[in-house]
Amino acid sequence: MRVSKVFVLFILLSFSSIDRSYSQAEDSNGYNPLSLRQVHESYLMWKKTLWRRVDLKEKQNKPFFAINREMSKIIFDAVQQGVIIPYNSDSVNDNNVMAREEFLINIQQENLDAGEDDFGGFEDDPFAEADPFADEEVEEEISGPQLIPYRQFSVFEIREDLYFDRVHSRIYFDIQSITMYLPGDSFFNATGIEKPVASFRFIDLYNLFKSMPKEAIWFNENNIAQHKNLGDAFLLRLFKGIITKIANADDQRVSELYSKSRKDGIMASFKVEQDLIEWEANLWEY
């Protein structure tokens, strides 16, 4: 009975691989332009799209967030220099390219005006001593926008495809895009809700990281002779991230589909991960 179920599952998954848009296949000649590893769509027997939330402040992810080598810092500098292109959403296509000016606005500090509660109705602090360099400081402050510090951007969301390559008989995780967020608990986020800043094509980030062997470092604190490039660290899946969404018709997240609270949402995410592992084990059992 179990063998027959697995056989039926394979038949259904084979049909699911037909779900491709004709225009996309025609434009890319059957290859996904976002994939670092190019696999023709006819090789795909089964495919799912997953979203994972990665918090770089977690212990396992800290090597991606070493002091002065923060991944967010590398990305910021690259965007400002025009090396990589930011996008408005994780679909990262030509229709949602984000202007560089908009990106800079997303990472600027909000203006905080001093009110009556600050100095008791005075425009300035009445007890502050006169500063002979006050004018110079004002000029420096208004000379340009104040950007939010790099280390505040510690949350990223990875969008990736999970597929089975029928030709090579292997399962692959294929990262498509990475979205950077300002966490809800950040001092610079008044909303208290995670704020998306910009999305990037992973293939662009990978090429950027590989072009910076001394800067884009996955910091190996256990053996500093064995640091890795950030691009290689992603391919080796050295990050830890919980599944927040699996592609579905209603575009709902795991927490919305399976739970009623944040705790239940996290547990549901772990269950989804375990189900995928179990499916892979059953795949190789027969």
Side-chain angles (χ1 to χ4, degrees), residues 85-89 92-100 102:
I85 299 172
Y87 295 84
N88 287 301
S89 72
V92 291
N93 56 48
D94 293 339
N95 296 324
N96 65 359
V97 172
M98 177 183 292
R100 175 178 173 274
E102 183 179 352

Side-chain angles (χ1 to χ4, degrees), residues 10-176:
F10 267 81
I11 296 297
L12 293 174
L13 295 179
S14 298
F15 278 107
S16 68
S17 65
I18 303 176
D19 187 21
R20 307 284 190 277
S21 66
Y22 176 77
S23 60
Q24 180 180 2
E26 186 177 40
D27 293 342
S28 60
N29 198 25
Y31 292 92
N32 184 352
L34 297 178
S35 295
L36 195 61
R37 180 182 181 275
Q38 290 291 292
V39 177
H40 197 273
E41 63 174 9
S42 63
Y43 293 179
L44 305 183
M45 186 189 75
W46 178 85
K47 175 181 172 182
K48 277 185 177 293
T49 300
L50 312 173
W51 283 260
R52 297 179 187 270
R53 182 184 183 276
V54 178
D55 187 345
L56 298 188
K57 290 184 178 180
E58 291 187 9
K59 183 176 181 180
Q60 183 173 331
N61 296 324
K62 283 186 176 181
F64 290 89
F65 210 49
I67 298 294
N68 296 324
R69 291 190 176 94
E70 297 89 347
M71 190 168 72
S72 53
K73 179 181 186 301
I74 295 172
I75 293 174
F76 283 5
D77 293 343
V79 173
Q80 294 186 70
Q81 295 168 11
V83 178
I84 59 173
I85 299 172
Y87 295 84
N88 287 301
S89 72
D90 58 22
S91 58
V92 291
N93 56 48
D94 293 339
N95 296 324
N96 65 359
V97 172
M98 177 183 292
R100 175 178 173 274
E101 293 74 17
E102 183 179 352
F103 176 81
L104 292 176
I105 291 175
N106 287 343
I107 63 175
Q108 285 180 19
Q109 298 181 23
E110 295 181 1
N111 293 326
L112 300 176
D113 297 328
E116 291 187 359
D117 293 338
D118 295 323
F119 303 124
F122 292 92
E123 293 183 0
D124 300 310
D125 186 351
F127 302 102
E129 296 182 359
D131 187 350
F133 302 103
D135 293 338
E136 294 181 9
E137 291 180 356
V138 171
E139 290 180 2
E140 182 179 353
E141 289 179 1
I142 64 174
S143 62
Q146 298 296 308
L147 302 183
I148 299 174
Y150 302 122
R151 294 192 63 80
Q152 293 294 316
F153 298 90
S154 59
V155 173
F156 288 77
E157 186 172 67
I158 295 176
R159 175 177 174 259
E160 61 182 353
D161 288 340
L162 170 63
Y163 64 83
F164 183 85
D165 183 342
R166 70 171 78 240
V167 174
H168 299 90
S169 297
R170 286 190 59 184
I171 290 178
Y172 291 96
F173 287 94
D174 187 13
I175 300 177
Q176 302 291 290

